[in-house]
């Protein structure tokens, strides 16, 4: 699997993402600087986590207007798989590849913690390695992870099986207690209509090493390698 | 010779924090009256914060050498060798005064400043720590200060993308008017590519990079060198404003340039901004420097030479480059969207010459300014010894388990989860042991090694007996590293004290230094960097003496580290170290008997070393399943923390015959550890041979209860609620 990671000024989880991708695919991802509109043909484009442009103005707002993102949109419409994690999810909603928006966490505080996440569907490139209903533990680290969209959009996402991950409690149920950042319908990750673009708020790349907090994110990367190699 | 504005009066000098005597020295050095800009430069360089004038003679007595030390105190940060061509660069620094005035920005820029100190030396920062002291939880300002400081530390560290992995927090009324915010950064660098600040090469360009200069933080260093009184909030303009986004760019640009053969010297602009970085670089290189302030990138109009020289705007660096590397360096910084300006040249004159608007604004001989900076032997008093309290003189609790429940929920011992969950402690994917243990363990990327790191101080011991308290702070840091299985390598210190002009306060400083020196020597744990923060007083009320120790150790095999969490039922709990039940200055005495009295527990450094080396050996040999150092709250709190860190496991202590039991359980005797093992008798035998005290004090169980005595036990769910509940409830205003 050939992959590219987009790097904006202020991106800071690009190295973590590269480690996880290399571990799964055996291949170093290509780093794309935000000014580059030309980059090699790849099977997967990742918009990684961090604080692109310091989250100034609004998380993801300025990154969405960076030159490299024009190419990302073109490639996505041509069917190239795109994964946006955390700040990357925010960028993908800002640029319109994904619906909805990520607002300030319900508790108004940054949250860094392992959360229980339920895989809602295995019918995607990203989740083929999981069972539907499977609960995994993946860390989050964000200020703005509170997913919002209007009722019609939420109904549409659910109706089209595009809600991929939900925040749940220790018993695997969607409860207020399990939904730490206050996301609409406990949504943690969604697909675009073509099911080739995923926005995911938690950090699967930080759950791929048994020495540092588990490997529940590994199946996402293994699934991508299997599907895209 | 006359310079602009040369109408300086003694009164103006006094307003700048200079004494009459110091002003006279300035007149002698210049052989004329200073300009306003020169007065500003001298007052900053000679402030307590920059000159260490009260502390220098005592700091010199600390041990700073060892085979592991690559760079001791005197540079931006200390550097130690961890083998395989790698070095660890680390330092702790205070941002106390600004954080009290404006907690978010004060704490944020504290983090930004210490990060810069570390990456200036060529290291990529891999972890942040913090040591915080707040006032009484009931004081009206405390909640606001906690919220602001925590948000500020998180706001900066999370954005720049360096994990915040460990810390400590105390609450005490002595900090009501002066909170402490000490931030530490640990970085990793190639051992043969450490960058220093001594300039070289007459004619070489002096380069300014990073953010633009504004009017923020002018006189920050001077402000941090004076007591507060009512109306401290009026000093808000002296607090800098942090921009972690720009610092992230600066970090990446500097590291990119450092990988090339371009930099001769580099210095961050921290306290006293351009003034201290210019003086530092030229002074250490034995050269002069001519600066053209019209070339300095500014973000405000009509800034004067005085303002530019004293601004403490953040995220700026000064560099001396090899002339042929200038174009390459400029391209790197411009790619990262940062300012890059040649603002001067190195000269042979030995003078700092400042030009602006076509006129000389300052012309100061550097060596005399540095060499004749004041150094005081301030009068000091020995702190009177406190009475040694016998256990029987201290009230027995109504219930052991209820006392434990109170202790584990008290402000000093309650869980800090509410704080560290606001810090990204996982980024970089190398955090092996997360916050909440004895020390954080962070893997050295792409190796099998790891670093252990901790910050520690017990101020109530220091105020009762500074020498014991100073030694204890060093010993506890060493012990916390040891409890993970790491070999402690070196420390950084942050000396937080009151007004050194009071002999009682100066005596606390002198005593703490003596204790630290003894412990550093005995434990082969040298001081490689540090920071001094004095004048932590408001209206004559000083803080508790708080010499914070930041310790770093190395694990050669990361898989052989220990954590505090119990691992399984039916294992044996082994206590290492002697227990007599020392309750003087204990948390028990304060929280249960409402007294802060007595002598603190004594430190026997030979025992400390023997016990620690023994425990480390056991961990390295894989004979220990969990390990925890015993500190505040004694054995009872340590056992509870080990059980709470696990799930579904309890402990039954078997202590019959130990009278009085409350002294045994809550006493804070030093040099002790708790281990769990399935190999207890062999460990006890081995300890006997090694001359280390070891005894079996209980077993782990599968019943989720903590049994202190056969007739006195408590549910761990209840303890967990007590432990986890206090801080979130307090912060919600409950």
């Amino acid at each position: 699997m050939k992959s590219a990671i987009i790097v904006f000024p202020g991106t800071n989880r690009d190295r973590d993402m590269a480690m996880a991708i290399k571990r799964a695919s055996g291949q170093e991802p290509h780093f794309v600087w935000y000014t580059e509109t030309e980059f090699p043909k790849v099977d997967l484009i990742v918009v990684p986590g961090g604080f692109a442009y310091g989250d100034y103005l609004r998380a993801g707002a300025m990154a969405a207007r960076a030159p490299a993102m024009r190419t990302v949109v073109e490639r996505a419409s041509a069917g190239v798989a795109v994964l946006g994690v955390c700040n990357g999810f925010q960028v993908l909603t800002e640029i319109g590849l994904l619906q909805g928006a990520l607002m300030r966490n319900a508790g108004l505080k940054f949250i860094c913690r392992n959360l229980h996440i339920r895989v809602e569907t295995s019918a995607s490139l990203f989740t083929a390695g999981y069972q539907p209903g499977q609960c995994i533990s993946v860390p989050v680290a964000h200020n703005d992870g509170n997913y919002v969209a209007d009722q019609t959009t939420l109904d549409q996402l659910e109706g089209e099986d595009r809600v991929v991950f939900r925040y749940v409690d220790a018993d695997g149920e969607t409860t207020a207690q399990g939904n730490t950042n206050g996301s609409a319908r406990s949504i943690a990750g969604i697909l675009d209509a073509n099911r080739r673009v995923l926005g995911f708020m938690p950090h699967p790349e930080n759950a791929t090493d048994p020495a540092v907090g588990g490997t529940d994110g590994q199946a996402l990367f293994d699934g991508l390698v299997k599907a895209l190699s | 010779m006359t310079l602009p504005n040369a109408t300086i009066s003694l009164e103006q000098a006094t307003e700048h924090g200079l004494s009459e005597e110091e002003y006279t020295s300035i007149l002698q050095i210049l052989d004329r009256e200073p300009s306003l800009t020169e007065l500003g430069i001298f007052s900053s360089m000679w402030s307590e914060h920059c000159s260490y004038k009260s502390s220098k003679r005592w700091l010199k007595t600390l041990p700073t050498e060892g085979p592991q030390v690559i760079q001791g105190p005197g540079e931006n940060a200390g550097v130690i060798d961890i083998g395989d061509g790698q070095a660890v660069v680390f330092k702790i620094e205070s941002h106390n005064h600004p954080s009290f005035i404006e907690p978010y920005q004060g704490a944020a820029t504290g983090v930004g400043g210490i990060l810069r100190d570390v990456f200036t030396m060529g290291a990529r920062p891999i972890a942040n720590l913090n040591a915080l002291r707040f006032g009484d939880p009931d004081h009206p300002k405390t909640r606001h200060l906690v919220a602001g400081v925590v948000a500020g530390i998180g706001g900066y560290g999370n954005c720049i993308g360096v994990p915040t992995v460990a810390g400590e927090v105390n609450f005490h009324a002595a900090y009501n008017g002066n909170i402490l915010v000490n931030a530490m950064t640990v970085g990793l660098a190639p051992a043969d590519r450490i960058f220093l600040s001594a300039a070289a090469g007459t004619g070489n360009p002096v380069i300014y990079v990073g953010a633009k200069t504004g009017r923020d933080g002018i006189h920050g260093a001077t402000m941090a060198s004076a007591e507060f009184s009512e109306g401290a909030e009026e000093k808000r303009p002296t607090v800098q404003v942090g921009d972690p986004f720009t610092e992230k760019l600066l970090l990446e640009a500097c590291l990119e340039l450092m990988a090339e053969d371009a930099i001769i010297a580099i210095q961050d602009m921290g306290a006293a901004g351009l003034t201290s970085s210019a003086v530092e670089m030229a002074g250490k290189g034995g050269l002069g420097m001519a600066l053209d302030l019209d070339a300095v990138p500014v973000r405000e109009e009509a800034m004067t030479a005085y303002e530019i020289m004293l601004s403490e705007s953040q995220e700026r660096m000064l560099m001396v480059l090899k002339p042929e590397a200038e174009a390459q360096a400029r391209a790197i910084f411009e790619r990262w969207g940062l300012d890059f300006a040649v603002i001067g040249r190195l000269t042979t004159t030995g003078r700092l010459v400042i030009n602006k608007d076509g006129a000389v604004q300052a012309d100061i001989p550097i060596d005399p300014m540095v060499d004749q900076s004041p150094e005081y032997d301030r009068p000091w008093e020995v702190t009177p010894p406190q009475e040694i309290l016998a256990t029987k003189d201290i009230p027995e609790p109504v219930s052991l388990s209820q006392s434990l429940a109170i202790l584990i929920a008290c402000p000093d011992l309650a869980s800090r989860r509410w704080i560290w969950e606001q810090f990204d402690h996982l980024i970089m994917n190398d955090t092996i042991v997360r916050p909440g243990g004895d020390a954080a363990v962070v893997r050295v990327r792409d190796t099998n090694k790891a670093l252990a790191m901790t910050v520690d101080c017990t101020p109530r011991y220091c105020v009762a007996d500074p020498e014991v308290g100073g030694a204890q702070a060093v010993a506890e840091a060493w012990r916390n590293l040891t409890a993970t299985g790491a070999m402690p390598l070196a420390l950084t210190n942050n000396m937080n004290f009151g007004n050194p002009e009071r002999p009682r306060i100066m005596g606390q400083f002198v005593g703490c230094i003596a204790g630290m020196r003894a412990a550093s020597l005995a434990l082969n744990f040298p001081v490689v960097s540090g920071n001094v923060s004095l004048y932590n007083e408001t209206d004559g009320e000083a803080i508790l003496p708080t010499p914070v120790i930041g310790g770093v150790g190395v694990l050669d095999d990361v898989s052989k580290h220990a954590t505090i969490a119990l691992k399984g039922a039916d294992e044996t709990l082994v206590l290492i170290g002697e227990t007599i039940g020392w309750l003087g200055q204990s948390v028990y005495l304060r929280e249960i008997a409402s007294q802060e009295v007595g002598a603190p527990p004594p430190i026997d450094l030979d025992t400390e070393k023997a016990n620690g080396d023994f425990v480390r050996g056991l961990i390295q040999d894989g004979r220990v399943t969990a390990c925890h150092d015993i500190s505040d709250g004694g054995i009872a709190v340590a056992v509870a923390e080990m059980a709470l860190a696990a799930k579904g496991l309890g402990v039954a202590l078997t202590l019959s015959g130990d009278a009085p039991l409350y002294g045994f359980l809550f006493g804070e005797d030093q040099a002790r550890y708790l281990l769990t093992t399935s190999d207890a008798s062999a460990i006890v035998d081995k300890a006997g041979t090694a001359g280390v005290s070891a005894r079996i004090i209980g077993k782990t169980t599968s019943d989720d209860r903590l049994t202190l005595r056969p007739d006195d036990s408590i549910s761990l769910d209840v303890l967990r609620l007590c432990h986890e509940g206090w801080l979130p409830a307090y912060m919600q205003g409950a």
Side-chain angles (χ1 to χ4, degrees):
Chain A
M1 179 182 75
K2 288 195 185 116
S3 62
I5 296 178
I6 313 294
V7 181
F8 306 102
T11 295
N12 63 25
R13 261 187 166 85
D14 44 334
R15 295 168 82 218
D16 295 14
M17 182 58 77
M19 276 169 86
I21 289 178
K22 194 181 170 200
R23 188 177 291 120
S25 70
Q27 280 177 279
E28 291 279 1
H30 180 84
F31 287 99
V32 179
W33 186 236
Y34 74 106
T35 53
E36 296 172 35
T37 50
E38 307 272 326
F39 53 88
K41 218 175 140 216
V42 292
D43 308 303
L44 171 72
I45 298 172
V46 182
V47 188
F51 284 73
Y53 299 90
D55 275 2
Y56 298 154
L57 183 59
R58 192 172 65 238
M62 286 194 268
R65 280 132 188 102
M69 288 309 294
R70 291 201 293 270
T71 311
V72 174
V73 172
E74 279 167 24
R75 302 265 181 107
S77 26
V80 173
V82 178
L83 168 63
V85 165
C86 196
N87 197 214
F89 188 4
Q90 294 160 344
V91 174
L92 295 183
T93 58
E94 283 286 342
I95 205 168
L97 278 177
L98 292 170
Q99 289 155 281
L102 283 312
M103 306 286 283
R104 182 54 53 95
N105 293 342
L108 303 180
K109 288 197 293 289
F110 190 92
I111 309 168
C112 179
R113 186 194 299 173
N114 267 62
L115 293 180
H116 302 286
I117 307 291
R118 193 171 69 204
V119 181
E120 301 292 89
T121 176
S122 55
S124 82
L125 288 170
F126 307 92
T127 52
Y130 296 102
Q131 298 300 317
Q134 184 180 345
C135 287
I136 58 176
S137 172
V138 183
V140 293
H142 60 245
N143 258 325
D144 305 274
N146 182 353
Y147 183 75
V148 294
D150 59 47
Q151 297 302 320
T152 318
T153 306
L154 293 171
D155 290 343
Q156 186 196 5
L157 288 171
E158 287 181 342
E160 294 174 3
D161 190 30
R162 286 159 54 195
V163 175
V164 187
F165 296 102
R166 276 198 167 88
Y167 302 106
V168 291
D169 61 19
D171 299 322
E173 302 299 327
T174 50
T175 55
Q177 194 220 343
N179 187 21
T180 317
N181 59 26
S183 288
R185 303 189 193 177
S186 298
I187 289 173
I190 55 165
L191 290 170
D192 75 333
N194 296 324
R195 309 186 80 76
R196 307 279 296 178
V197 179
L198 171 70
F200 189 32
M201 209 57 215
H203 290 285
E205 73 275 24
N206 291 131
T208 56
D209 183 344
V212 286
T215 55
D216 284 3
Q218 188 65 43
L220 186 148
F221 296 99
D222 290 344
L224 283 170
V225 170
K226 206 170 157 192
L228 299 173
S229 294
Chain B
M1 173 183 171
T2 323
L3 292 178
N5 308 315
T7 50
I8 300 303
S9 63
L10 175 61
E11 196 187 345
Q12 269 175 299
T14 316
E15 280 166 10
H16 277 74
L18 292 162
S19 69
E20 191 174 346
E21 206 180 316
E22 287 165 359
Y23 183 60
T24 310
S25 303
I26 294 171
L27 295 177
Q28 280 165 2
I29 289 171
L30 293 176
D31 198 21
R32 58 175 165 77
E33 284 193 338
S35 68
L36 183 63
T37 304
E38 288 171 335
L39 183 70
I41 291 171
F42 269 99
S43 74
S44 294
M45 290 309 298
W46 287 8
S47 69
E48 186 67 57
H49 191 83
C50 291
S51 73
Y52 297 88
K53 58 191 168 192
S54 303
S55 58
K56 214 173 345 186
R57 64 178 284 117
W58 301 104
L59 295 174
K60 282 177 194 160
T61 65
L62 291 170
T64 59
E65 287 173 3
Q68 72 274 43
V69 178
I70 294 175
Q71 175 66 54
E75 281 291 335
N76 284 298
V79 185
I80 54 174
D81 190 347
I82 58 162
D84 306 317
Q86 289 184 300
V88 170
V89 179
F90 68 103
K91 191 185 177 196
I92 192 166
E93 195 162 78
S94 64
H95 234 211
N96 303 335
H97 292 74
S99 298
F100 182 76
I101 298 171
E102 213 298 283
Y104 185 96
Q105 292 298 345
T109 52
V111 174
I114 194 63
L115 281 162
R116 267 193 317 281
D117 277 337
V118 167
F119 72 76
T120 303
M121 306 220 30
R124 178 173 285 280
I126 61 166
N128 283 329
L129 301 87
N130 52 75
L132 311 177
R133 301 285 179 314
F134 297 104
D136 187 332
D138 292 331
H139 188 274
K141 273 190 182 160
T142 300
R143 188 178 287 112
H144 156 73
L145 291 169
V146 174
V149 165
V150 170
I153 292 172
Y156 210 100
N158 298 342
C159 181
I160 198 168
V162 175
T164 303
V165 296
E168 61 159 2
V169 188
N170 285 155
F171 293 86
H172 192 282
Y175 303 101
N176 280 351
N178 295 83
I179 62 170
L180 302 184
V181 175
N182 296 174
M184 171 170 161
T185 295
V186 180
L188 202 61
D192 60 351
R193 290 191 71 80
I194 302 296
F195 290 84
L196 303 178
S197 56
T202 305
N204 278 343
V206 176
I207 316 275
Y208 170 117
V209 296
K212 295 185 197 305
T213 297
R215 288 196 172 90
D216 53 326
I218 292 174
H219 283 309
T222 314
M223 181 265 292
S225 305
E227 285 181 44
F228 278 157
S229 55
E230 280 302 313
E233 290 78 3
E234 287 168 15
K235 298 192 173 176
R236 191 163 291 137
T238 61
V239 179
Q240 312 85 332
V241 178
D243 178 0
F245 169 61
T246 298
E247 180 128 317
K248 166 72 173 166
L249 307 181
L250 187 61
L251 161 70
E252 298 299 340
C254 284
L255 292 181
E256 195 174 319
L257 182 60
M258 283 162 167
E260 310 295 332
D261 188 25
I263 298 175
I264 293 171
I266 180 165
Q267 169 76 36
D268 87 297
M269 292 189 225
L274 184 54
T275 290
S276 88
S277 52
V279 170
E280 192 93 357
M281 294 180 84
K284 279 187 181 157
L287 291 169
M289 191 182 282
L291 294 180
D292 171 16
L293 298 191
D294 293 317
V296 171
V298 290
R299 62 166 180 254
E300 292 178 67
E301 283 178 18
M303 285 187 71
T304 64
Y306 178 91
E307 289 169 330
I308 292 173
M309 289 308 290
L310 296 188
S311 163
E312 291 189 11
S313 288
Q314 300 287 292
E315 294 92 23
R316 303 177 301 159
M317 293 272 190
L318 203 59
M319 301 188 298
V320 174
L321 292 179
K322 294 185 177 169
E324 67 275 15
E326 194 181 312
Q328 179 191 27
R330 183 184 292 276
I332 290 174
F333 280 86
E334 285 178 354
R335 193 167 80 87
W336 286 97
L338 295 165
D339 273 297
F340 179 100
V342 178
I343 63 163
R345 301 271 161 198
L346 295 175
T347 66
T348 52
T349 61
R351 302 181 77 87
L352 177 66
V353 180
I354 309 287
N355 286 284
K356 189 170 191 310
D357 303 325
V360 174
Q361 307 285 338
D363 184 352
I364 303 172
I366 294 172
D367 280 354
M369 175 164 62
V370 174
D371 298 342
Q372 293 174 43
S373 78
E375 179 175 342
Y376 297 126
D377 182 5
R378 304 239 187 237
W380 57 278
E381 287 168 8
V382 175
T383 304
Q386 302 292 303
E387 190 189 346
I388 295 173
L389 304 177
T391 311
K392 63 177 172 46
D393 297 335
I394 289 166
E396 188 169 353
V398 179
S399 151
L400 294 171
S401 59
Q402 289 310 308
S403 299
L404 173 59
I406 292 167
L407 289 192
I408 205 137
C410 81
D412 274 359
L413 295 181
S415 166
R416 272 67 176 111
R417 184 183 302 276
W418 184 91
I419 294 173
W420 52 256
E421 284 193 344
Q422 294 184 58
F423 302 153
D424 191 337
H425 48 272
L426 300 175
I427 189 163
M428 292 189 160
N429 219 32
D430 285 311
T431 308
I432 304 289
V433 176
R434 299 181 183 191
D438 282 325
V441 176
V442 177
R443 185 172 53 195
V444 177
R445 181 165 289 201
D446 298 331
T447 74
N448 198 31
K449 290 195 294 194
L451 303 176
M453 50 194 83
T454 180
V455 281
D456 293 289
C457 180
T458 314
R460 61 182 191 280
Y461 295 171
C462 295
V463 75
D465 186 330
E467 192 162 343
V468 168
Q472 195 273 345
V474 173
E476 187 172 351
W478 188 85
R479 206 183 298 147
N480 278 327
L481 300 176
T482 294
T484 68
M487 173 59 76
L489 290 180
L491 66 88
T492 178
N493 59 6
N494 206 142
M495 308 294 289
N496 306 279
F497 290 78
N499 182 346
E501 295 163 42
R502 297 179 213 278
R504 186 176 66 83
I505 302 293
M506 200 61 216
Q508 293 174 342
F509 188 90
V510 172
C512 284
I513 290 275
M516 289 165 59
R517 171 184 155 78
S520 294
L521 285 171
L523 301 172
N524 298 326
F525 199 30
V527 180
V528 295
S529 58
N531 171 249
V532 178
S533 171
L534 302 175
Y535 297 94
N536 291 287
E537 294 205 19
T538 297
D539 296 329
E541 289 290 316
I543 59 162
L544 301 182
T546 313
V548 172
I549 302 299
V552 174
V554 68
L555 282 145
D556 287 329
D557 179 353
V558 63
S559 69
K560 290 184 179 163
H561 73 275
T563 65
I564 71 167
L566 300 180
K567 303 296 184 303
D570 298 319
E571 293 188 339
T572 307
L573 200 63
V574 178
L575 168 66
I576 303 292
E578 292 278 359
T579 302
I580 63 163
W582 192 284
L583 289 173
Q585 292 298 342
S586 64
V587 176
Y588 172 88
L589 185 59
R590 190 181 70 198
E591 299 295 325
I592 306 294
S594 305
Q595 297 176 50
E596 296 180 54
V597 293
I603 298 272
D604 181 320
L605 292 166
D606 293 336
T607 307
E608 189 72 58
K609 178 140 197 329
N611 292 2
D613 289 346
F614 180 72
V615 167
R616 192 180 314 108
L618 293 178
I619 296 170
Q620 292 297 320
D621 291 345
R623 301 168 84 158
V624 169
T625 51
C627 179
H628 193 7
D629 108 292
I630 301 174
S631 55
D632 289 355
I635 292 173
V637 166
V639 171
E641 287 171 345
M642 294 176 82
L644 291 175
K647 277 212 176 83
L649 294 171
V651 171
L653 295 181
T654 48
L655 293 171
S656 52
D658 285 297
L661 192 52
Y662 67 103
F664 190 88
L665 285 175
F666 298 114
E668 296 181 4
D669 309 78
Q670 297 293 299
R672 294 183 304 159
Y673 302 80
L674 273 178
L675 317 171
T676 55
T677 178
S678 49
D679 197 13
S681 55
I683 286 177
V684 172
D685 288 349
K686 194 169 180 294
T689 316
V692 166
S693 162
R695 62 179 281 199
I696 292 168
I697 63 161
K699 278 198 110 45
T700 61
T701 65
S702 54
D703 71 351
D704 215 8
R705 286 190 79 77
L706 183 48
T707 304
L708 298 173
R709 204 168 54 190
D711 61 347
D712 191 356
S713 72
I714 186 165
S715 145
L716 282 165
D717 285 341
V718 170
L719 274 186
R720 186 171 279 115
L721 282 174
C722 296
H723 187 54
E724 295 291 347
W726 182 79
L727 190 52
Y730 171 70
M731 291 310 296
Q732 276 186 1

